[in-house]
Amino acid sequence: MAKKRPQTRAKQPQLQDGEIPVVGAREPCPCGSGRRYKACHGRAAAHAVTELVHRPFEGLPGEGDWVALRELVPAATVELHLKESLPEGVPSVTLATVLPMAWPALRRDDGSVLLGLQNDTASGDISRDLADTLRRALTAQPGTPVEGRRAPADGPRLQDLLDPEGSFEPVVHTGFEFWVPDAENSTAEVTASLERANAAAIPTVKLSGVDAAYWCETPDKNHLRWVMPHEEEQLLDALARLHAAGRSGLGEGTRLVGSFRAHGLTVPVWDLPTGVTADDVEKPAAEFAERLTTALATDEPLTADERRARGGLTNRQVTLS
């Protein structure tokens, strides 16, 4: 039996590490090693992009609202302010909870950019993924969507692109008509997507008197979901103190029922009777905020009743991210 001849490979130009582009996991690594990308330079990149960032929106204006729009609010938009001037031909950049066909981003015919927030991301850092999508959208051809991809591990984050002093003022919509400037003349595909999205949207209102609190209406009862910036253990202690004292409600028939965990923040949730509107809870929410501030400043050990209340609240936590 003839011996197999050793395999030889033509020498390929060697690239510096900083110049290695991102390619498909099963493609040959661009460095010329002959190995697949995932087994070569892609190994470190994959580890970097899968490492979970606990609070991806930390440091951005309106961190609580970023979390709410990512996890809780069906239809909303926010004008984004970049550190640098917008490129020529891009009149505005708008964050949107959802875009048609779940596009990561869309550059409209007029050059404006819509950036989708509620999309699956390829890494453990939502901020880096969104920043990568935003940068590509700024240079996309007008009238085209931007496809998702794995962001480079050393790419910028939203905190690098957005103005830290810029305002972040969500506008909550009753539906998704903001997707297109002229819904009546949309394509059949976009129209169908718009109808499905509108049918599934839960009526939601942002409270004006406190930060990052959103009322919503469901068939059985209404709810208030309030994204809070406080450290979780401290917040749970404060909520337990109020709950044990019978001061955790937002008025007659309301009840603090638990909380969500989302992107490093805690989101207390109240059940509200059917018929209680967002306007009805504006004043009670402002009064609760004052009670909570006092409770947060208390460092006395929890009493037995407060520990039981805290245990009940902890048992009714649900992690969204």
Side-chain angles (χ1 to χ4, degrees):
M1 219 170 126
K3 292 183 179 180
K4 291 184 178 179
R5 294 184 179 182
Q7 296 291 321
T8 59
R9 296 181 183 271
K11 290 186 177 181
Q12 298 187 28
Q14 300 296 304
L15 303 177
Q16 298 298 319
D17 283 355
E19 300 174 344
I20 304 297
V22 176
V23 299
R26 294 180 177 274
E27 295 180 33
C29 186
C31 75
S33 66
R35 291 181 293 171
R36 290 179 177 178
Y37 179 71
K38 69 176 183 179
C40 192
H41 282 84
R43 181 175 295 170
H47 174 75
V49 299
T50 54
E51 187 174 353
L52 180 64
V53 175
H54 186 55
R55 286 178 64 177
F57 307 116
E58 185 176 14
L60 293 173
E63 180 187 7
D65 288 309
W66 277 93
V67 172
L69 268 57
R70 167 78 182 184
E71 299 294 341
L72 306 173
V73 181
T77 56
V78 188
E79 182 179 359
L80 296 181
H81 304 277
L82 276 59
K83 287 183 178 179
E84 299 181 357
S85 300
L86 292 174
E88 184 177 356
V90 180
S92 63
V93 175
T94 301
L95 181 73
T97 48
V98 180
L99 293 179
M101 278 72 77
W103 288 327
L106 169 67
R107 189 163 183 207
R108 285 174 159 167
D109 291 335
D110 66 357
S112 61
V113 168
L114 290 178
L115 176 66
L117 182 57
Q118 294 180 13
N119 292 306
D120 292 335
T121 54
S123 81
D125 187 354
I126 298 170
S127 179
R128 195 180 308 280
D129 291 326
L130 289 170
D132 177 67
T133 301
L134 174 57
R135 292 180 77 193
R136 290 185 292 125
L138 292 172
T139 58
Q141 290 295 317
T144 60
V146 175
E147 301 295 335
R149 75 169 190 181
R150 182 175 57 196
D154 59 351
R157 308 178 72 236
L158 287 174
Q159 288 82 347
D160 301 315
L161 302 183
L162 300 183
D163 183 357
E165 303 299 325
S167 61
F168 191 83
E169 300 176 359
V171 177
V172 179
H173 304 276
T174 57
F176 295 88
E177 282 72 20
F178 64 85
W179 281 353
V180 287
D182 185 5
E184 294 182 357
N185 295 321
S186 300
T187 65
E189 188 178 23
V190 171
T191 299
S193 182
L194 181 62
E195 291 176 350
R196 289 194 300 270
N198 283 345
I202 296 173
T204 301
V205 177
K206 185 180 188 301
L207 298 195
S208 60
V210 294
D211 292 333
Y214 291 81
W215 169 95
C216 67
E217 180 183 17
T218 63
D220 295 330
K221 61 186 68 176
N222 300 341
H223 305 279
L224 184 72
R225 301 177 290 190
W226 191 341
V227 186
M228 295 187 172
H230 316 291
E231 189 274 326
E232 182 180 12
E233 297 303 313
Q234 181 189 21
L235 176 59
L236 288 174
D237 281 354
L239 292 173
R241 295 182 196 278
L242 296 175
H243 202 59
R247 305 184 69 206
S248 63
L250 299 174
E252 185 178 353
T254 69
R255 187 166 67 99
L256 175 64
V257 293
S259 62
F260 296 128
R261 284 195 189 104
H263 308 291
L265 298 184
T266 303
V267 189
V269 178
W270 285 263
D271 278 352
L272 311 173
T274 300
V276 172
T277 67
D279 287 340
D280 294 332
V281 293
E282 284 281 8
K283 183 179 178 181
E287 293 171 347
F288 177 85
E290 294 180 359
R291 298 197 299 273
L292 180 64
T293 298
T294 301
L296 287 166
T298 303
D299 57 5
E300 295 292 328
L302 297 179
T303 66
D305 286 343
E306 290 167 349
R307 289 196 300 272
R308 282 192 291 271
R310 193 186 195 282
L313 293 173
T314 302
N315 290 336
R316 295 193 295 275
Q317 281 190 310
V318 176
T319 300
L320 300 180
S321 62

